[in-house]
Amino acid sequence: MDNIKKKLFRLQDVCYGDFHSKLMPNIAREKIIGIRVPVLRRFVKDLSEAEKEDFLQQLPHNYYEENNLHGLIIMESKDYGSCIGELERFLPYIDNWATCDMLRPKILSKHLPELLEKIYQWLASEDTYIVRLAIGFLMSFYLDDGAYQREYLAKVAEVSSKEYYVRMMVAWYFATALAKQYQDALPYMQKGRMEEWTRRKAIQKALESRRVSPEHKEYLRSLR
């Protein structure tokens, strides 16, 4: 076992691993060490730059937490080009929603025009978690005034997938859009604008959100 892997196992919380395993039914229990994300974030800060660089070259990894560690190292990037390069190397190895949703490098928010081209490429992928990441980036970086364009809603609505983790991200995206860009997002909640299960799930998530006003929630209930 290499040095970093040994250190990770010293941070193991078996009970937490048992609990977290239930949230990711597609990942075998033996692939989960059991380390809480805040603990892993502190661990990253104690690694040397040489250790980080070496670790990024060790794909594929064996454990879920190794993938999370890989993602956290990428998120420290201060250079857009190297961040995108490392993301593209890593994306084919992402195999769960938690690692996927953790990846939100801050450097990307400073390069939104260039990033958008990559997002559109990833939306066309047949890989579940690459598509989910692309939608997640549109949700995280492009729904606030200043970055938002109406066309992004249409792009996400056009995503067609039978994969649960893609459909849930589409629903999450539109629930967030209803909180931030209500007037533009509302027409997509009409029947026939997107796959029915996803539409209803988006409404459900919007109704659960504290960011959607009571008045808007009242109308959304009438659309279910």
Side-chain angles (χ1 to χ4, degrees):
M1 190 181 296
D2 62 48
N3 189 44
I4 287 182
K5 199 171 295 185
K6 287 180 181 178
K7 291 179 179 179
L8 289 175
F9 269 91
R10 292 184 193 132
L11 303 173
Q12 185 178 40
D13 180 336
V14 175
C15 291
Y16 177 73
D18 291 340
F19 164 76
H20 203 59
S21 176
K22 296 174 183 177
L23 304 178
M24 299 186 299
N26 61 313
I27 303 299
R29 174 64 184 91
E30 59 267 22
K31 295 291 185 179
I32 300 173
I33 299 172
I35 305 174
R36 297 175 186 273
V37 173
V39 174
L40 201 59
R41 289 184 190 277
R42 290 194 293 271
F43 178 76
V44 172
K45 297 187 181 301
D46 290 334
L47 295 176
S48 69
E49 292 304 314
E51 286 177 312
K52 293 174 185 177
E53 288 297 323
D54 180 63
F55 186 78
L56 289 178
Q57 304 308 311
Q58 294 179 26
L59 288 169
H61 302 299
N62 291 322
Y63 294 97
Y64 160 70
E65 284 83 1
E66 289 181 298
N67 279 330
N68 281 356
L69 177 59
H70 196 114
L72 289 171
I73 293 172
I74 291 175
M75 287 173 62
E76 291 186 335
S77 178
K78 301 294 191 296
D79 178 77
Y80 174 78
S82 63
C83 183
I84 288 293
E86 290 298 339
L87 267 178
E88 296 220 280
R89 276 203 328 116
F90 184 47
L91 287 180
Y93 300 99
I94 297 175
D95 58 2
N96 68 88
W97 65 267
T99 302
C100 180
D101 294 357
M102 180 185 67
L103 281 168
R104 298 292 186 270
K106 290 183 179 180
I107 187 65
L108 301 185
S109 66
K110 299 179 180 179
H111 297 267
L112 296 183
E114 306 99 303
L115 178 61
L116 193 61
E117 182 179 349
K118 283 293 179 185
I119 287 173
Y120 284 176
Q121 291 176 15
W122 295 335
L123 280 176
S125 173
E126 295 185 359
D127 183 285
T128 295
Y129 298 103
I130 293 178
V131 177
R132 184 179 172 100
L133 184 78
I135 299 169
F137 280 177
L138 285 173
M139 181 178 71
S140 296
F141 299 133
Y142 296 88
L143 275 178
D144 291 317
D145 294 336
Y148 169 74
Q149 296 289 332
R150 193 178 299 172
E151 69 182 68
Y152 306 150
L153 297 171
K155 282 288 185 181
V156 177
E158 289 170 2
V159 172
S160 177
S161 176
K162 294 182 180 180
E163 293 290 338
Y164 172 80
Y165 291 108
V166 172
R167 296 163 80 194
M168 280 299 296
M169 181 55 81
V170 172
W172 187 9
Y173 172 87
F174 272 98
T176 306
L178 286 164
K180 294 188 173 185
Q181 304 293 341
Y182 178 78
Q183 294 299 331
D184 287 348
L186 184 60
Y188 291 93
M189 296 300 99
Q190 303 290 336
K191 290 186 177 181
R193 292 299 301 269
M194 66 172 65
E195 191 270 328
E196 181 62 11
W197 184 93
T198 308
R199 183 190 74 88
R200 293 179 68 85
K201 187 62 69 173
I203 292 174
Q204 176 190 325
K205 292 179 76 66
L207 293 176
E208 294 169 352
S209 173
R210 294 181 179 179
R211 294 183 292 178
V212 178
S213 72
E215 294 78 13
H216 290 168
K217 287 182 179 180
E218 183 177 357
Y219 183 67
L220 288 169
R221 287 189 185 95
S222 73
L223 298 178
R224 290 189 293 183

